[in-house]
Structure formats: C-alpha cells, structure tokens
Coordinates of all heavy atoms in Angstrom, one line a residue:
G1 N 0.8 -1.2 0.0 CA 0.0 0.0 0.0 C 0.8 1.3 0.0 O 2.1 1.2 0.2
G2 N 0.2 2.3 -0.2 CA 0.9 3.7 -0.2 C 0.6 4.4 1.0 O 0.0 4.0 1.9
V3 N 1.1 5.7 1.1 CA 0.9 6.6 2.2 C 0.3 7.8 1.7 O 0.5 8.3 0.5 CB 2.2 6.8 2.9 CG1 2.7 5.6 3.6 CG2 3.2 7.5 2.1
V4 N -0.5 8.4 2.5 CA -1.2 9.7 2.2 C -0.8 10.7 3.4 O -1.0 10.2 4.5 CB -2.7 9.6 2.0 CG1 -3.3 10.9 1.9 CG2 -2.9 8.7 0.8
T5 N -0.6 11.9 3.1 CA -0.3 12.9 4.1 C -1.4 14.0 4.0 O -1.7 14.5 2.9 CB 1.1 13.5 4.0 OG1 2.1 12.5 4.1 CG2 1.3 14.6 5.1
L6 N -2.0 14.3 5.1 CA -3.1 15.3 5.2 C -2.8 16.1 6.4 O -2.8 15.7 7.5 CB -4.5 14.6 5.2 CG -5.6 15.7 5.4 CD1 -5.8 16.5 4.1 CD2 -6.9 14.9 5.6
L7 N -2.6 17.5 6.2 CA -2.4 18.4 7.3 C -1.3 17.9 8.2 O -1.6 17.9 9.5 CB -3.7 18.7 8.0 CG -4.8 19.3 7.1 CD1 -6.1 19.4 7.8 CD2 -4.4 20.7 6.6
G8 N -0.2 17.3 7.7 CA 0.9 16.9 8.6 C 0.8 15.5 9.1 O 1.7 15.1 9.8
Q9 N -0.4 14.9 8.9 CA -0.5 13.5 9.4 C -0.3 12.5 8.2 O -0.9 12.7 7.1 CB -1.8 13.3 10.0 CG -2.0 14.1 11.3 CD -3.3 13.6 12.0 OE1 -3.5 12.5 12.2 NE2 -4.1 14.5 12.4
T10 N 0.4 11.5 8.4 CA 0.6 10.5 7.4 C 0.0 9.2 7.8 O 0.2 8.7 8.9 CB 2.1 10.3 7.1 OG1 2.7 11.6 6.7 CG2 2.4 9.3 6.0
V11 N -0.7 8.6 6.9 CA -1.4 7.3 7.2 C -1.1 6.3 5.9 O -1.0 6.8 4.8 CB -2.9 7.4 7.4 CG1 -3.2 8.1 8.7 CG2 -3.6 8.0 6.2
S12 N -1.1 5.0 6.2 CA -0.9 4.1 5.2 C -2.3 3.7 4.7 O -3.3 3.5 5.4 CB -0.3 2.8 5.7 OG 1.0 3.0 6.1
L13 N -2.5 3.8 3.3 CA -3.8 3.4 2.7 C -3.4 2.4 1.5 O -2.6 2.7 0.7 CB -4.4 4.7 2.2 CG -5.0 5.6 3.1 CD1 -5.5 6.9 2.4 CD2 -6.1 5.0 4.0
P14 N -4.2 1.3 1.6 CA -3.9 0.4 0.5 C -4.2 1.0 -0.9 O -5.2 1.8 -1.0 CB -4.9 -0.7 0.7 CG -5.6 -0.5 2.1 CD -5.2 0.9 2.5
N15 N -3.4 0.7 -1.9 CA -3.7 1.2 -3.2 C -3.5 2.7 -3.4 O -4.0 3.3 -4.4 CB -5.0 0.7 -3.8 CG -5.2 -0.8 -3.7 OD1 -4.2 -1.5 -4.0 ND2 -6.3 -1.2 -3.3
A16 N -2.9 3.4 -2.5 CA -2.7 4.9 -2.6 C -1.7 5.1 -3.7 O -0.6 4.6 -3.6 CB -2.3 5.5 -1.3
P17 N -2.1 5.8 -4.7 CA -1.0 6.1 -5.8 C 0.0 7.1 -5.4 O -0.2 7.8 -4.4 CB -1.9 6.7 -6.9 CG -3.0 7.4 -6.2 CD -3.3 6.5 -4.9
Q18 N 1.0 7.2 -6.2 CA 2.1 8.3 -5.9 C 1.5 9.6 -6.4 O 0.7 9.6 -7.4 CB 3.3 7.9 -6.7 CG 4.0 6.7 -6.2 CD 4.6 6.9 -4.9 OE1 5.1 7.9 -4.6 NE2 4.6 5.8 -4.1
G19 N 1.9 10.7 -5.7 CA 1.4 12.0 -6.2 C 0.2 12.5 -5.5 O -0.4 11.8 -4.6
P20 N -0.3 13.7 -5.9 CA -1.5 14.3 -5.2 C -2.7 13.5 -5.4 O -3.0 12.9 -6.5 CB -1.6 15.6 -5.9 CG -0.2 15.9 -6.6 CD 0.3 14.6 -6.9
V21 N -3.5 13.4 -4.4 CA -4.8 12.7 -4.5 C -5.8 13.5 -3.8 O -5.6 14.4 -3.0 CB -4.8 11.3 -3.8 CG1 -3.8 10.4 -4.6 CG2 -4.4 11.4 -2.3
T22 N -7.1 13.2 -4.0 CA -8.2 13.8 -3.2 C -8.8 12.7 -2.4 O -9.1 11.6 -2.8 CB -9.3 14.3 -4.2 OG1 -8.8 15.3 -5.1 CG2 -10.5 14.8 -3.5
L23 N -8.9 13.0 -1.1 CA -9.5 12.1 -0.1 C -11.0 12.4 0.0 O -11.4 13.5 0.1 CB -8.8 12.2 1.3 CG -7.4 11.6 1.4 CD1 -7.0 11.8 2.8 CD2 -7.4 10.2 1.1
M24 N -11.8 11.3 0.0 CA -13.2 11.5 0.1 C -13.7 10.6 1.3 O -13.1 9.6 1.6 CB -13.9 11.1 -1.1 CG -13.5 11.9 -2.3 SD -14.2 11.2 -3.9 CE -13.3 9.7 -4.1
I25 N -14.8 11.1 2.0 CA -15.4 10.4 3.0 C -16.8 10.7 3.1 O -17.2 11.9 2.8 CB -14.7 10.7 4.4 CG1 -15.2 9.7 5.5 CG2 -14.7 12.1 4.8 CD1 -14.3 9.7 6.7
R26 N -17.7 9.7 3.4 CA -19.1 10.0 3.5 C -19.3 10.8 4.8 O -18.7 10.6 5.8 CB -19.9 8.7 3.6 CG -19.8 8.0 2.2 CD -20.7 6.8 2.2 NE -22.1 7.1 2.4 CZ -23.0 7.5 1.5 NH1 -22.6 7.6 0.3 NH2 -24.3 7.8 1.9
P27 N -20.3 11.8 4.8 CA -20.5 12.6 6.0 C -20.9 11.9 7.2 O -20.4 12.3 8.3 CB -21.7 13.6 5.6 CG -21.5 13.6 4.0 CD -21.1 12.2 3.6
E28 N -21.5 10.7 7.1 CA -21.9 10.0 8.3 C -20.7 9.2 8.9 O -20.8 8.7 10.0 CB -23.0 9.0 8.0 CG -22.7 7.9 7.0 CD -23.0 8.3 5.5 OE1 -23.1 9.5 5.2 OE2 -23.2 7.4 4.7
H29 N -19.6 9.2 8.2 CA -18.4 8.5 8.7 C -17.4 9.4 9.4 O -16.5 9.0 10.1 CB -17.7 7.8 7.6 CG -18.4 6.6 7.0 ND1 -18.3 6.2 5.7 CD2 -19.4 5.8 7.6 CE1 -19.1 5.2 5.6 NE2 -19.8 4.9 6.7
V30 N -17.7 10.7 9.3 CA -16.9 11.7 10.1 C -17.3 11.6 11.6 O -18.5 11.8 11.8 CB -17.0 13.1 9.5 CG1 -16.2 14.1 10.3 CG2 -16.6 13.2 8.0
A31 N -16.3 11.4 12.4 CA -16.7 11.3 13.9 C -16.3 12.6 14.6 O -15.2 13.2 14.3 CB -15.9 10.1 14.5
L32 N -17.0 13.0 15.6 CA -16.6 14.1 16.4 C -15.7 13.6 17.5 O -16.1 12.6 18.2 CB -17.9 14.8 17.0 CG -18.9 15.3 16.0 CD1 -20.0 16.1 16.7 CD2 -18.2 16.2 14.9
G33 N -14.6 14.2 17.8 CA -13.7 13.7 18.7 C -12.6 12.8 18.1 O -12.8 12.3 17.0
A34 N -11.5 12.6 18.9 CA -10.5 11.8 18.3 C -10.8 10.3 18.5 O -11.4 9.9 19.5 CB -9.2 12.1 19.0
V35 N -10.4 9.4 17.6 CA -10.5 8.0 17.7 C -9.3 7.3 17.2 O -8.5 7.9 16.4 CB -11.8 7.5 16.9 CG1 -13.1 8.0 17.6 CG2 -11.7 7.7 15.4
A36 N -9.1 6.1 17.5 CA -7.9 5.3 17.0 C -8.2 4.9 15.6 O -9.3 4.9 15.1 CB -7.8 4.0 17.8
E37 N -7.1 4.6 14.8 CA -7.2 4.2 13.4 C -7.9 5.2 12.6 O -8.7 4.9 11.8 CB -8.0 2.8 13.3 CG -7.4 1.7 14.2 CD -6.1 1.1 13.6 OE1 -6.0 1.0 12.4 OE2 -5.3 0.7 14.4
A38 N -7.5 6.5 12.8 CA -8.2 7.6 12.0 C -7.2 8.7 11.9 O -6.2 8.9 12.6 CB -9.4 8.1 12.8
L39 N -7.5 9.6 10.9 CA -6.9 10.8 10.8 C -7.5 11.8 11.7 O -8.8 12.0 11.6 CB -7.0 11.5 9.4 CG -6.0 10.9 8.3 CD1 -6.4 11.4 7.0 CD2 -4.6 11.3 8.6
N40 N -6.9 12.2 12.8 CA -7.5 13.1 13.9 C -7.1 14.5 13.5 O -5.9 14.8 13.5 CB -7.1 12.6 15.2 CG -7.7 11.3 15.5 OD1 -8.9 11.2 15.7 ND2 -6.8 10.2 15.7
L41 N -8.1 15.4 13.3 CA -7.9 16.7 12.9 C -8.7 17.7 13.7 O -9.6 17.3 14.5 CB -8.3 16.9 11.4 CG -7.8 15.9 10.4 CD1 -8.5 16.0 9.0 CD2 -6.3 16.1 10.2
T42 N -8.4 19.0 13.6 CA -9.1 20.0 14.2 C -9.9 20.7 13.0 O -9.3 21.0 12.0 CB -8.2 21.0 14.8 OG1 -7.5 20.4 15.9 CG2 -9.0 22.2 15.5
A43 N -11.2 21.1 13.2 CA -11.9 21.8 12.3 C -12.7 22.9 13.0 O -12.9 22.9 14.2 CB -12.9 20.8 11.6
T44 N -13.2 23.8 12.2 CA -14.1 24.9 12.7 C -15.4 24.8 12.0 O -15.5 24.6 10.8 CB -13.4 26.3 12.4 OG1 -12.2 26.3 13.0 CG2 -14.3 27.4 12.9
V45 N -16.5 24.9 12.8 CA -17.8 24.9 12.3 C -18.2 26.2 11.5 O -18.1 27.2 12.2 CB -18.9 24.6 13.4 CG1 -20.2 24.5 12.9 CG2 -18.6 23.3 14.2
A46 N -18.4 26.0 10.2 CA -18.8 27.2 9.5 C -20.3 27.4 9.6 O -20.8 28.6 9.8 CB -18.5 27.0 8.0
R47 N -21.1 26.3 9.6 CA -22.5 26.5 9.9 C -23.1 25.1 10.2 O -22.5 24.1 9.8 CB -23.2 27.1 8.7 CG -23.3 26.3 7.4 CD -23.9 27.2 6.3 NE -23.8 26.5 5.1 CZ -24.9 25.9 4.4 NH1 -26.1 26.1 4.9 NH2 -24.7 25.3 3.3
R48 N -24.2 25.1 10.8 CA -25.0 23.9 11.2 C -26.3 23.9 10.4 O -26.9 25.0 10.2 CB -25.3 23.8 12.6 CG -24.2 23.8 13.5 CD -24.5 23.7 15.0 NE -25.4 24.8 15.4 CZ -26.0 24.8 16.5 NH1 -25.8 23.9 17.4 NH2 -26.9 25.7 16.8
V49 N -26.7 22.8 9.7 CA -27.9 22.7 9.0 C -28.7 21.6 9.7 O -28.3 20.4 9.6 CB -27.7 22.5 7.5 CG1 -29.0 22.4 6.8 CG2 -26.8 23.6 6.9
Y50 N -29.9 21.9 10.2 CA -30.7 20.9 10.9 C -31.7 20.3 9.9 O -32.3 20.9 9.1 CB -31.6 21.7 12.0 CG -32.5 20.8 12.7 CD1 -32.0 19.9 13.7 CD2 -33.8 20.9 12.5 CE1 -32.9 19.1 14.4 CE2 -34.8 20.1 13.3 CZ -34.3 19.3 14.2 OH -35.2 18.4 14.9
F51 N -31.7 18.9 10.0 CA -32.5 18.1 9.0 C -33.5 17.2 9.8 O -33.8 16.1 9.3 CB -31.6 17.2 8.2 CG -31.0 17.9 7.0 CD1 -29.6 18.3 7.0 CD2 -31.8 18.4 5.9 CE1 -29.1 19.0 6.0 CE2 -31.2 19.0 4.8 CZ -29.8 19.3 4.9
G52 N -33.9 17.5 10.9 CA -34.8 16.7 11.7 C -34.1 15.7 12.5 O -33.7 15.9 13.6
T53 N -33.8 14.5 11.9 CA -33.1 13.4 12.6 C -31.6 13.6 12.6 O -30.9 13.1 13.5 CB -33.4 12.0 12.0 OG1 -33.0 12.1 10.6 CG2 -34.8 11.7 12.1
D54 N -31.1 14.5 11.7 CA -29.7 14.7 11.6 C -29.4 16.2 11.6 O -30.2 17.1 11.3 CB -29.1 14.2 10.3 CG -29.3 12.7 10.1 OD1 -29.2 12.0 11.2 OD2 -29.5 12.2 9.0
T55 N -28.1 16.6 11.9 CA -27.6 17.9 11.7 C -26.4 17.8 10.9 O -25.5 16.9 11.2 CB -27.3 18.6 13.0 OG1 -28.5 18.8 13.7 CG2 -26.7 20.0 12.8
H56 N -26.2 18.5 9.8 CA -25.0 18.5 9.0 C -24.1 19.7 9.5 O -24.6 20.8 9.6 CB -25.3 18.8 7.5 CG -26.0 17.6 6.8 ND1 -26.1 17.5 5.5 CD2 -26.4 16.4 7.4 CE1 -26.6 16.3 5.2 NE2 -26.9 15.7 6.4
L57 N -22.9 19.4 9.9 CA -22.0 20.4 10.3 C -21.1 20.6 9.1 O -20.3 19.8 8.6 CB -21.1 19.9 11.4 CG -21.9 19.5 12.7 CD1 -20.9 18.9 13.7 CD2 -22.6 20.7 13.3
H58 N -21.1 21.9 8.5 CA -20.2 22.3 7.5 C -19.0 22.8 8.2 O -19.0 23.8 8.9 CB -20.8 23.4 6.7 CG -22.1 22.8 5.8 ND1 -22.0 22.5 4.5 CD2 -23.3 22.4 6.3 CE1 -23.2 22.1 4.2 NE2 -23.9 22.0 5.2
L59 N -17.8 22.1 7.9 CA -16.6 22.3 8.6 C -15.5 22.9 7.7 O -15.5 22.6 6.5 CB -16.1 21.0 9.2 CG -17.1 20.3 10.1 CD1 -16.5 18.9 10.4 CD2 -17.3 21.0 11.4
I60 N -14.6 23.7 8.3 CA -13.4 24.2 7.6 C -12.2 23.7 8.3 O -12.0 23.8 9.5 CB -13.4 25.7 7.6 CG1 -14.7 26.3 7.0 CG2 -12.2 26.3 6.9 CD1 -14.9 27.8 7.1
L61 N -11.3 23.0 7.5 CA -10.1 22.5 8.0 C -9.0 23.6 8.1 O -9.2 24.6 7.4 CB -9.6 21.3 7.2 CG -10.6 20.1 7.1 CD1 -10.0 19.1 6.2 CD2 -10.8 19.5 8.5
P62 N -7.9 23.4 8.8 CA -6.9 24.5 8.9 C -6.3 25.0 7.6 O -5.9 26.1 7.5 CB -5.8 23.8 9.8 CG -6.6 22.8 10.6 CD -7.6 22.3 9.7
D63 N -6.4 24.1 6.5 CA -5.8 24.5 5.3 C -6.9 25.2 4.4 O -6.6 25.6 3.2 CB -5.2 23.3 4.5 CG -6.3 22.3 4.0 OD1 -7.4 22.4 4.4 OD2 -5.9 21.4 3.3
G64 N -8.1 25.4 4.9 CA -9.2 26.1 4.2 C -10.1 25.1 3.5 O -11.1 25.5 2.9
S65 N -9.7 23.9 3.3 CA -10.6 22.9 2.6 C -11.9 22.7 3.5 O -11.9 23.0 4.7 CB -9.9 21.6 2.4 OG -9.4 21.0 3.5
T66 N -12.9 22.2 2.9 CA -14.2 22.1 3.6 C -14.6 20.6 3.6 O -14.1 19.7 2.8 CB -15.3 22.8 2.9 OG1 -15.4 22.4 1.6 CG2 -15.0 24.3 3.0
L67 N -15.5 20.3 4.6 CA -15.9 18.9 4.9 C -17.3 19.0 5.5 O -17.6 20.0 6.2 CB -14.9 18.3 5.8 CG -15.1 16.9 6.3 CD1 -14.8 15.9 5.1 CD2 -14.0 16.6 7.4
V68 N -18.1 18.1 5.3 CA -19.4 18.0 5.9 C -19.5 16.7 6.8 O -19.1 15.6 6.4 CB -20.6 17.9 4.9 CG1 -21.9 17.8 5.6 CG2 -20.6 19.1 4.0
A69 N -19.9 16.9 8.0 CA -20.1 15.8 9.0 C -21.6 15.7 9.2 O -22.3 16.7 9.5 CB -19.4 16.0 10.3
R70 N -22.1 14.5 9.2 CA -23.5 14.3 9.5 C -23.6 13.7 11.0 O -23.0 12.7 11.2 CB -24.2 13.3 8.5 CG -25.7 13.2 8.7 CD -26.3 12.2 7.8 NE -26.4 10.9 8.5 CZ -26.7 9.8 7.9 NH1 -27.0 9.8 6.7 NH2 -26.8 8.7 8.6
V71 N -24.3 14.4 11.8 CA -24.4 14.0 13.2 C -25.9 13.7 13.5 O -26.8 14.5 13.2 CB -23.9 15.0 14.2 CG1 -24.1 14.7 15.6 CG2 -22.5 15.4 13.8
Q72 N -26.2 12.5 14.0 CA -27.6 12.1 14.4 C -27.9 12.9 15.6 O -27.2 13.0 16.6 CB -27.8 10.7 14.6 CG -29.2 10.3 14.7 CD -29.4 8.8 14.6 OE1 -28.5 8.0 14.8 NE2 -30.7 8.4 14.4
N73 N -29.1 13.6 15.5 CA -29.6 14.3 16.7 C -30.0 13.3 17.8 O -30.7 12.4 17.6 CB -30.8 15.2 16.3 CG -30.3 16.3 15.3 OD1 -29.2 16.8 15.4 ND2 -31.2 16.6 14.3
A74 N -29.6 13.7 19.0 CA -30.0 12.9 20.2 C -31.4 13.2 20.8 O -31.8 14.3 20.7 CB -28.9 13.1 21.3
L75 N -32.0 12.2 21.3 CA -33.3 12.4 21.9 C -33.3 13.4 23.0 O -34.2 14.2 23.2 CB -33.8 11.0 22.4 CG -35.2 11.1 23.1 CD1 -36.3 11.5 22.1 CD2 -35.5 9.7 23.6
H76 N -32.2 13.4 23.8 CA -32.1 14.3 25.0 C -31.2 15.5 24.8 O -30.6 15.9 25.8 CB -31.8 13.4 26.2 CG -32.8 12.4 26.6 ND1 -34.1 12.7 26.9 CD2 -32.8 11.1 26.4 CE1 -34.8 11.6 27.1 NE2 -34.0 10.6 26.8
G77 N -31.1 15.9 23.6 CA -30.3 17.1 23.4 C -28.9 17.1 23.7 O -28.4 18.0 24.4
A78 N -28.1 16.2 23.1 CA -26.6 16.2 23.3 C -26.1 17.4 22.7 O -26.7 18.1 21.8 CB -26.1 14.9 22.6
H79 N -24.9 17.9 23.2 CA -24.3 19.1 22.7 C -23.9 19.1 21.2 O -23.2 18.1 20.9 CB -23.1 19.4 23.5 CG -22.3 20.6 23.0 ND1 -22.7 21.9 23.1 CD2 -21.1 20.6 22.3 CE1 -21.8 22.7 22.5 NE2 -20.8 21.9 22.0
L80 N -24.3 20.0 20.5 CA -23.8 20.2 19.1 C -23.0 21.4 19.1 O -23.3 22.4 19.7 CB -25.0 20.3 18.1 CG -25.6 19.0 17.7 CD1 -26.8 19.3 16.8 CD2 -24.7 18.1 16.9
P81 N -21.8 21.4 18.4 CA -21.0 22.6 18.4 C -21.7 23.7 17.7 O -22.5 23.5 16.8 CB -19.8 22.1 17.6 CG -20.1 20.8 17.0 CD -21.2 20.3 17.7
E82 N -21.3 24.9 18.1 CA -21.9 26.2 17.6 C -21.1 26.6 16.4 O -19.9 26.3 16.2 CB -21.9 27.2 18.6 CG -22.7 26.9 19.9 CD -24.2 26.9 19.7 OE1 -24.7 27.6 18.8 OE2 -24.9 26.2 20.4
D83 N -21.8 27.4 15.6 CA -21.0 28.1 14.5 C -19.8 28.8 15.0 O -19.9 29.6 16.0 CB -21.9 29.1 13.7 CG -23.1 28.3 12.9 OD1 -23.1 27.2 13.0 OD2 -23.8 29.1 12.3
G84 N -18.7 28.7 14.4 CA -17.4 29.3 14.8 C -16.6 28.5 15.8 O -15.5 28.8 16.1
E85 N -17.2 27.5 16.4 CA -16.5 26.6 17.4 C -15.5 25.7 16.7 O -15.8 25.1 15.7 CB -17.6 25.8 18.2 CG -17.0 25.0 19.3 CD -18.1 24.4 20.1 OE1 -19.3 24.9 20.1 OE2 -17.8 23.4 20.8
S86 N -14.4 25.6 17.4 CA -13.3 24.6 16.9 C -13.6 23.3 17.6 O -14.0 23.2 18.8 CB -11.9 25.1 17.3 OG -11.6 26.2 16.4
L87 N -13.4 22.2 16.9 CA -13.6 20.9 17.5 C -12.7 19.9 16.9 O -12.1 20.1 15.8 CB -15.0 20.4 17.3 CG -15.5 20.1 16.0 CD1 -16.6 19.1 16.0 CD2 -16.0 21.3 15.2
S88 N -12.4 18.8 17.6 CA -11.6 17.6 17.1 C -12.6 16.7 16.3 O -13.7 16.5 16.7 CB -11.1 16.8 18.2 OG -10.2 17.6 18.9
I89 N -12.1 16.3 15.1 CA -12.8 15.4 14.3 C -11.9 14.2 13.9 O -10.7 14.3 13.9 CB -13.4 16.0 13.0 CG1 -12.3 16.5 12.1 CG2 -14.4 17.1 13.3 CD1 -12.8 16.9 10.7
A90 N -12.5 13.1 13.5 CA -11.7 11.9 13.2 C -12.3 11.4 11.9 O -13.5 11.3 11.6 CB -11.8 10.8 14.2
L91 N -11.3 11.1 10.9 CA -11.7 10.5 9.6 C -11.2 9.0 9.7 O -9.9 8.8 9.5 CB -11.0 11.2 8.5 CG -11.2 12.8 8.4 CD1 -10.5 13.3 7.2 CD2 -12.7 13.1 8.5
P92 N -12.0 8.0 10.0 CA -11.5 6.7 10.1 C -10.9 6.2 8.8 O -11.4 6.4 7.7 CB -12.8 5.9 10.4 CG -13.8 6.9 10.9 CD -13.5 8.2 10.3
I93 N -9.7 5.6 9.0 CA -8.9 5.2 7.8 C -9.7 4.3 6.9 O -9.7 4.4 5.7 CB -7.6 4.6 8.3 CG1 -6.7 5.7 8.9 CG2 -6.9 3.9 7.1 CD1 -5.5 5.1 9.7
D94 N -10.5 3.4 7.5 CA -11.2 2.4 6.6 C -12.4 3.0 5.9 O -13.0 2.5 5.0 CB -11.6 1.2 7.4 CG -12.6 1.5 8.5 OD1 -12.8 2.6 8.8 OD2 -13.1 0.5 9.1
A95 N -12.7 4.3 6.2 CA -13.8 5.0 5.5 C -13.3 5.9 4.5 O -14.1 6.5 3.7 CB -14.6 5.8 6.5
L96 N -11.9 6.2 4.4 CA -11.5 7.1 3.4 C -11.5 6.5 2.0 O -11.1 5.3 1.8 CB -10.0 7.5 3.7 CG -9.9 8.3 5.0 CD1 -8.4 8.5 5.4 CD2 -10.6 9.7 4.8
R97 N -11.7 7.2 1.0 CA -11.6 6.8 -0.4 C -10.7 7.7 -1.1 O -10.7 8.9 -0.8 CB -13.0 6.8 -1.1 CG -14.1 5.9 -0.4 CD -13.7 4.4 -0.5 NE -14.5 3.5 0.2 CZ -14.3 3.0 1.4 NH1 -13.1 3.3 2.0 NH2 -15.1 2.2 2.0
I98 N -10.0 7.2 -2.1 CA -8.9 8.0 -2.8 C -9.4 8.2 -4.2 O -9.8 7.3 -4.9 CB -7.6 7.3 -2.8 CG1 -7.2 7.0 -1.3 CG2 -6.6 8.0 -3.5 CD1 -6.0 6.1 -1.2
M99 N -9.2 9.4 -4.7 CA -9.3 9.7 -6.2 C -8.0 10.4 -6.6 O -7.7 11.4 -6.0 CB -10.5 10.6 -6.3 CG -10.8 10.9 -7.8 SD -12.4 11.9 -8.1 CE -11.9 13.5 -7.5
E100 N -7.5 9.9 -7.7 CA -6.3 10.5 -8.2 C -6.6 11.9 -8.8 O -7.7 12.0 -9.4 CB -5.6 9.7 -9.3 CG -4.8 8.6 -8.7 CD -4.0 7.9 -9.8 OE1 -3.0 8.5 -10.3 OE2 -4.3 6.7 -10.2
N101 N -5.7 12.9 -8.6 CA -5.9 14.2 -9.2 C -5.5 14.3 -10.6 O -4.7 13.5 -11.1 CB -5.2 15.2 -8.4 CG -5.8 15.5 -7.0 OD1 -6.9 15.0 -6.7 ND2 -5.1 16.2 -6.1

C-alpha cells in the first residue's frame, strides 16, 4: 500500500497512488472527537444545518478545505458545536476513499 499525508499526518492506505490525491469520506463516517485508526484533525464549524433526525456540520479544516459531517440528533439534546466553534474530528482510515488528481 501507499501513504497519504493530510495536514501533517501520514497514514498508510492500500492502493494509494504516488502524487497528489483527493481524499473522500461520507459525511456519516466523520466522527466528532479523536478515535484510534483515524486521521484526527481540528476543524471549525462554518454552519449547522438541521434536518430533523440529523444535523449537517459544514466544517473548515486548517488549510481552508471544507468537509461535511452528519451527526444524528440525540433524543435528549446532546451538545452540538456552535457556528465558529473549533472541535476535534476523526476520519476513520477504513472509511477514506482515494481519487487521483
């Protein structure tokens, strides 16, 4: 397998080609908080969009790239980050998909 570096973190990914790539992840696979076996990053909430059962967090990474995280709304009102708030997120390695640039 190859390696991919994102915002200073390097991870091994099977079939990663040489050169620049685009990493993709489904919004429901982005985790809030740090986890093992993941790219653990810091992001800032640009805005929240409420969809009934879910809230989409539109995030900005330190390099200015954007990402959407889908968070299921809790029955008893778990904390959701506010617009402008910084938070830790995790991109599980097994959920990342690679597209050659």
Side-chain angles (χ1 to χ4, degrees):
V3 295
V4 173
T5 301
L6 177 67
L7 299 173
Q9 292 189 50
T10 301
V11 294
S12 294
L13 292 175
N15 305 317
Q18 294 292 323
V21 297
T22 298
L23 287 179
M24 299 175 290
I25 188 167
R26 294 185 57 85
E28 63 270 20
H29 293 151
V30 177
L32 301 186
V35 298
E37 305 284 325
L39 281 169
N40 291 294
L41 307 170
T42 301
T44 301
V45 178
R47 67 186 175 112
R48 301 181 308 170
V49 180
Y50 178 73
F51 283 106
T53 59
D54 298 326
T55 296
H56 287 192
L57 300 176
H58 293 255
L59 305 171
I60 301 172
L61 298 177
D63 69 352
S65 58
T66 59
L67 179 70
V68 175
R70 188 182 94 187
V71 180
Q72 189 167 18
N73 295 323
L75 178 63
H76 298 291
H79 170 74
L80 280 176
E82 299 291 332
D83 292 359
E85 187 174 333
S86 291
L87 68 155
S88 296
I89 61 167
L91 310 180
I93 292 169
D94 61 351
L96 294 173
R97 300 296 175 257
I98 302 170
M99 183 174 73
E100 279 190 72
N101 288 352

